[in-house]
Amino acid sequence: MWPFALLASIALIACSLALVLRTSNETEMPKIDRAASLTSIKRPADRAQDTARGANRSAALGYDVLRGVRLRPVHPAFYALKTKMTARGYVFRKSAKGSSATFGVSSFNLLGAGHTAGAGGYAPGASRMHGAVGLLLAHDVSVAGLQEFQEEQYHAFEAMLGGSYAAYPGLTLGVQPVQNSIVWRRADWTLVEAHTVAVPYFGGNRVPMPYVKLRNVHSGQEVWFYNSHNPADAHGPAGHWRAIATSIEVNLARQLTADGTPMIVTGDMNDREPFACPFSSGSGFRSADGVYSDASGCHLVPRTNVDWVFGSPSLQFSGFVTDRSSQSRRISDHPFVSARVTVPASNDPRCHRALGFGWFCPRR
């Protein structure tokens, strides 16, 4: 019996030793650390709240949280479209709405060189262009409608500002159409379209008047500009022809703004109320100095000119000026009319919609 008792005693001693060793190891290395050691995961150093949790299982367990950029899966179709549009010069935006554009606009009858070739107290047309250019720059004019802008005056203008301002039609259509040109600052605008419309002048003879669509390089906004010189009574009563010209201009304004594109009209219309009221009521436009029409009639301002700046309803005018220094300095027999105009932000028609994602719009 004693060998059996000896074996039993040895087994009992071995079990006791194993139990002691196990208890000792659990005290030195918690189960989670032993598991981490087996998976090669390095746990952060114990913190006070983890120690507290060891004594109280309701205590919060501490975690190390890394904050970073939230990643979203890229749809394959969108990725392919973005690659294609980027190659074409487009950028992705959340909205097609661009920014507003504010700039100076003017209407100025320069007094044609042919009207001062003889005696009369005015310097030659080319010489007077120095003063005219000075007014354009002093009033920070970005787009202007010029009347009686004859050939030699155009050449003088080109010599002084041809590098920074463009003109239409200039001399592209001959020496007669140049007299009613639209000029714009190249740093602000690019030409999109250029056209003319024929209106009756002296004796009802039709002459071309320019209208252009310009794109603002800062905002992407597109604006129509029309410039006209309706006939005066210098060769007999011309009220009938002015009325026909006004009717043509109303129809043009309606046509060009039908798609929501804003429009500015400049010109020496050789009429005050007889032009302003029919034009504003027929087109819905408002003048830079505050003339407008509504259901109650035509609303005039106390003093008006025959030189006008009108804009479509969405445009906002401010800072209207009638600068008569052009007359006192013998630059012209007309005042220099100018104003600031703001084109409110609107959707860029050149943008392409990426359904569910945003818009691809051309780079400025």
Side-chain angles (χ1 to χ4, degrees), residues 53-352:
R53 190 173 183 274
N56 178 7
R57 300 297 290 183
S58 65
L61 178 61
Y63 293 94
D64 286 331
V65 179
L66 297 178
R67 299 187 179 276
V69 178
R70 183 181 179 185
L71 300 178
R72 294 182 179 179
V74 178
H75 194 285
F78 173 73
Y79 179 80
L81 179 61
K82 184 176 182 182
T83 301
K84 176 183 176 182
M85 298 302 287
T86 299
R88 291 173 57 188
Y90 287 78
V91 294
F92 178 72
R93 297 201 323 230
K94 287 296 184 181
S95 171
K97 181 169 280 191
S99 57
S100 62
T102 300
F103 54 93
V105 64
S106 172
S107 181
F108 190 29
N109 183 320
L110 295 161
L111 181 60
H115 298 310
T116 59
Y122 285 92
S127 299
R128 290 186 284 106
M129 280 305 300
H130 291 276
V133 165
L135 288 170
L136 284 170
L137 299 179
H139 288 276
D140 190 27
V141 173
S142 183
V143 182
L146 303 179
Q147 305 90 40
E148 297 190 22
F149 187 41
Q150 294 183 351
E151 183 180 9
E152 67 180 79
Q153 291 161 296
Y154 170 78
H155 286 307
F157 178 87
E158 282 291 293
M160 288 181 279
L161 291 181
S164 54
Y165 280 76
Y168 179 80
L171 287 172
T172 59
L173 302 180
V175 295
Q176 195 283 327
V178 70
Q179 297 188 53
N180 300 291
S181 287
I182 301 169
V183 299
W184 61 91
R185 191 155 51 201
R186 298 178 189 270
D188 296 337
W189 304 91
T190 57
L191 178 64
V192 179
E193 296 182 35
H195 311 273
T196 63
V197 61
V199 301
Y201 205 60
F202 293 139
N205 294 317
R206 298 286 177 127
V207 297
M209 300 296 173
Y211 61 98
V212 298
K213 180 189 280 189
L214 301 179
R215 180 178 299 131
N216 187 273
V217 301
H218 310 294
S219 69
Q221 300 272 23
E222 293 184 350
V223 183
W224 284 107
F225 294 87
Y226 169 74
N227 181 52
S228 184
H229 190 184
N230 292 349
D233 294 332
H235 298 278
H240 170 68
W241 303 119
R242 288 196 295 272
I244 294 176
T246 300
S247 177
I248 292 171
E249 288 153 358
V250 165
N251 290 333
L252 180 67
R254 287 176 174 174
Q255 173 189 337
L256 296 182
T257 59
D259 63 354
T261 304
M263 182 178 180
I264 292 174
V265 171
T266 59
D268 172 5
M269 304 307 184
N270 276 302
D271 260 330
R272 293 177 171 81
E273 180 180 353
F275 167 78
C277 289
F279 182 78
S280 63
S281 63
S283 65
F285 283 30
R286 186 185 186 108
S287 75
D289 58 348
V291 177
Y292 69 97
S293 293
D294 58 18
S296 63
C298 179
H299 303 268
L300 294 168
V301 293
R303 186 177 183 181
T304 60
N305 303 302
V306 297
D307 305 282
W308 292 97
V309 175
F310 268 89
S312 52
S314 66
L315 301 179
Q316 301 164 6
F317 286 109
S318 63
F320 175 79
V321 174
T322 299
D323 186 345
R324 299 190 180 277
S325 69
S326 58
Q327 296 168 296
S328 62
R329 293 163 56 196
R330 311 293 285 176
I331 296 170
S332 173
D333 59 346
H334 282 254
F336 183 90
V337 174
S338 69
R340 303 293 290 175
V341 59
T342 296
V343 185
S346 62
N347 287 343
D348 189 336
R350 301 171 298 158
C351 292
H352 298 274

